Amino acid sequence: MPPFSRRVHDLPHLGVGVSTEFGAARAPGALDVFALAASHPSRAAFLELGVELEKGLDDDARRWIAQGRPTTYHFLDVNLHDADDFDDEWLAGVNALVAASRPAWVCGDAGAWHFGRRDRGHMLLLPPILVDDAASALARGVARLREATGREVLPENPPGAAFVGDLHLLDFFARVAERADTGLLLDVAHLAMYQHVTGRDALDGLDAFPLERVVEIHVAGGERRQTSDGFSYVEDSHGTAVLDATWRILERVVQGASNLKAVIFECERNPNDSVDAGFDRIEATLAGRRW
Amino acid sequence: MDFRRVERAALLLHFDGGWATRILDGDVLGLTGAEKAMLRAVDRRAFRADPERAARAAAVIVAELPVAIAVAGVPRLLSFFRADAFVDVIVGRAPLVVGAADFLDSAPARIEGAVGRARRRRHVDVGDIVVAPHVAAALVPDGALAQWTAARQSLGDDAVAAIGAGRRIAWPAFDDAEAAGVLVTGDAANPAVGPCTAALARLLHRLEDGVDLAAFRAVACAEGCDDDAEADALLADLVADGLLRRG
């Protein structure tokens, strides 16, 4: 297999898009992706399908696919660092949906989507343990899923309030990228959460991070919260109010992400008339880039 | 440094702050000093940023074990997330619902736990002879199945809402805890719960993980078959009835 530095040139430039998951579009006040595609085609250039295999694709996702529009496949149900999670039944199901949706690539949060086995009530999303061995295990999972699906697999830095381990989150994902020889999905809102709860500046660690590995970026609103005993954290609300720290990270990353192919504004829970400001700023940040 | 062990510890801390003392000062999960130090380096309050995590998981359990929870009470259910049984679920990759049923260990929990096991059982090659998909059995006291059936009906269609509103069910005392069998059949969406002999329930229970023919004969003879020929005839009957599968 050619190295990532060559493979990445075969990946399509998708531009700016939005994300969805099962039933999201039918929730009250949710984004209408088809209306967005009609009114602002460049803001819905592709749809990221958040997929939990047990639920599959909803009617809106199927309609999008049937129209031949571009997609990416965002898994919501595999712990990439856990070899026991790659059972044959799950892999067969993923391959069937990949064949049906023809995504440009597969991506998803590289954390614990569930504890123990995949089952009702087991779902959660916790960040990985930030140690070297976990980076190696995660890299093996990325390579395994890439081989099984025949698609590039872009691990994403997950959200969280409690990050355990002796590595900086960005150092951890740099090691994953190198060992799996893969591209990355950098969620700049999730990174802002990490920097906040660990008391770091928003841009801490980015100078040493291999930005050329970043193929996709997620931008999303977040809300500062405090636990009843005073711990300050950021909730991954996916609202339209994007933190300043998130914008700062986006601007810095875009400068160096020479292989950037796609940016998602994760605003699926918000009505169409509330998302313009976010898209405006993303477009301004990306202005001048060749897609 | 075993990151999987640290991950399990972090998971427990996310569910209940009470684990901190047992994990960091005790020997739950057997963490090394370095692993404990790594967890201690994180502000403990960070693990409690989402205090509803256990409640959400509990809601799933209530939906599948409604009578058991209406009998035991929600506080008893929430204590599951502070119990070693929850660790067993995580480490053993067992279904949460089944683990909770085992933890509650009451007659309604055995019945509803059997439904949960049947719902999750799929065809896997685990031995020459194995319980068929969507089949499971439980042992309960005489009269418990009828009591459970009435209790389940009394909770109505939205049992979760009823229990959330504080509905409790009084469960009578029974004598022999394993006098009768309960058999779950049907499919995952529509399980059928009915009576069976205690011998059949014990037999099926011991075959859930799959056995070879010799082991089956031994179990069958322990449950009343006179010899291997009678055990083989029983096997043929149970396969024909769709309760067992042969590999």
Side-chain angles (χ1 to χ4, degrees):
Chain A
M1 183 171 60
F4 168 76
S5 57
R6 293 228 309 269
R7 301 195 318 268
V8 70
H9 297 302
D10 295 332
L11 295 176
H13 291 263
L14 296 180
V16 177
V18 289
S19 54
T20 188
E21 56 189 57
F22 194 94
R26 299 302 168 98
L31 189 79
D32 182 335
V33 294
F34 294 97
L36 182 66
S39 64
H40 299 85
S42 64
R43 294 178 174 182
F46 74 105
L47 181 63
E48 187 149 291
L49 307 168
V51 183
E52 194 180 348
L53 204 60
E54 184 76 13
K55 296 177 180 172
L57 300 174
D58 65 14
D59 289 343
D60 295 292
R62 291 182 186 283
R63 181 179 159 205
W64 182 277
I65 293 164
Q67 293 177 354
R69 297 172 184 265
T71 66
T72 53
Y73 181 113
H74 185 295
F75 56 76
L76 304 172
D77 58 359
V78 65
N79 299 345
L80 283 177
H81 59 285
D82 182 358
D84 291 337
D85 230 23
F86 290 79
D87 59 88
D88 292 344
E89 185 178 353
W90 182 81
L91 281 172
V94 169
N95 275 327
L97 282 186
V98 164
S101 56
R102 303 177 302 279
W105 53 75
V106 174
C107 57
D109 299 76
W113 278 106
H114 47 259
F115 59 85
R117 58 188 267 161
R118 207 175 275 115
D119 204 312
R120 290 187 69 200
H122 291 225
M123 189 160 182
L124 39 75
L125 178 54
L126 299 180
I129 303 301
L130 302 175
V131 297
D132 189 69
D133 280 356
S136 294
L138 179 50
R140 288 192 293 273
V142 168
R144 185 170 178 181
L145 189 57
R146 180 173 63 211
E147 184 178 344
T149 61
R151 295 288 200 282
E152 290 294 330
V153 174
L154 310 179
E156 172 184 1
N157 55 307
F163 292 87
V164 181
D166 56 6
L167 296 178
H168 189 297
L169 179 89
L170 290 172
D171 185 12
F172 177 87
F173 276 94
R175 295 182 191 205
V176 172
E178 182 183 354
R179 291 170 193 176
D181 192 26
T182 186
L184 294 167
L185 191 176
L186 187 65
D187 189 312
V188 291
H190 294 173
L191 179 56
M193 292 174 198
Y194 169 80
Q195 307 283 39
H196 176 76
V197 297
T198 57
R200 294 177 163 91
D201 180 77
L203 304 185
D204 186 68
L206 279 169
D207 286 345
F209 189 66
L211 290 173
E212 73 281 4
R213 295 272 188 181
V214 176
V215 174
E216 178 177 342
I217 292 174
H218 281 185
V219 182
E223 293 178 27
R224 287 187 195 278
R225 305 268 191 200
Q226 215 169 54
T227 61
S228 58
D229 49 3
F231 179 74
S232 174
Y233 66 101
V234 178
E235 185 175 321
D236 192 23
S237 64
H238 286 200
T240 55
V242 178
L243 297 178
D244 286 343
T246 300
W247 290 126
R248 284 181 63 207
I249 297 169
L250 176 69
E251 287 156 8
R252 172 68 185 83
V253 171
V254 165
Q255 289 172 17
S258 53
N259 288 310
L260 182 63
K261 309 282 187 181
V263 177
I264 291 265
F265 185 28
E266 296 186 294
C267 57
E268 70 279 2
R269 301 171 190 167
N270 306 277
N272 292 47
D273 60 6
S274 71
V275 299
D276 284 340
F279 278 114
D280 287 347
R281 184 144 179 189
I282 289 171
E283 288 170 347
T285 304
L286 296 171
R289 282 193 72 90
R290 186 182 62 80
W291 289 99
Chain B
M1 173 67 61
D2 182 341
F3 76 88
R4 292 174 182 84
R5 207 158 44 206
V6 177
E7 183 181 67
R8 288 168 181 159
L11 177 74
L12 292 172
L13 293 170
H14 275 94
F15 270 86
D16 195 295
W19 284 106
T21 303
R22 295 181 62 194
I23 291 171
L24 301 179
D25 300 331
D27 61 358
V28 171
L29 294 172
L31 266 63
T32 65
E35 290 163 353
K36 290 178 179 178
M38 191 169 277
L39 287 161
R40 283 198 185 98
V42 179
D43 189 325
R44 283 191 196 182
R45 298 173 301 171
F47 292 108
R48 302 296 295 146
D50 178 5
E52 300 303 315
R53 202 178 290 277
R56 286 196 300 274
V60 171
I61 297 172
V62 171
E64 292 204 47
L65 311 177
V67 177
I69 307 304
V71 169
V74 172
R76 170 74 175 144
L77 170 59
L78 291 176
S79 74
F80 168 64
F81 296 103
R82 299 188 290 274
D84 291 344
F86 184 48
V87 179
D88 293 342
V89 164
I90 294 168
V91 175
R93 299 178 73 86
L96 180 72
V97 166
V98 175
D102 291 346
F103 169 74
L104 294 169
D105 194 28
S106 62
R110 289 183 201 171
I111 295 169
E112 291 169 335
V115 174
R117 294 200 311 278
R119 182 173 282 142
R120 287 164 177 80
R121 188 184 311 288
R122 296 173 181 171
H123 179 65
V124 286
D125 295 323
V126 293
D128 297 339
I129 299 160
V130 67
V131 176
H134 311 309
V135 172
L139 285 161
V140 296
D142 254 336
L145 178 58
Q147 185 75 26
W148 175 81
T149 303
R152 182 66 193 87
Q153 287 174 350
S154 77
L155 286 171
D157 291 337
D158 195 347
V160 175
I163 293 166
R167 177 74 193 281
R168 296 291 302 272
I169 288 175
W171 190 261
F174 289 100
D175 290 332
D176 186 350
E178 298 187 346
V182 172
L183 180 64
V184 184
T185 55
D187 59 47
N190 298 296
V193 182
C196 68
T197 64
L200 177 59
R202 277 193 298 270
L203 179 78
L204 292 175
H205 205 62
R206 293 180 64 178
L207 303 179
E208 287 196 357
D209 293 329
V211 295
D212 60 20
L213 181 59
F216 173 82
R217 286 169 171 165
V219 172
C221 289
E223 292 301 337
C225 287
D226 289 335
D227 51 29
D228 286 353
E230 190 175 341
D232 290 352
L234 174 64
L235 174 60
D237 286 347
L238 294 175
V239 170
D241 289 344
L243 300 181
L244 293 182
R245 286 248 177 117
R246 298 205 63 172

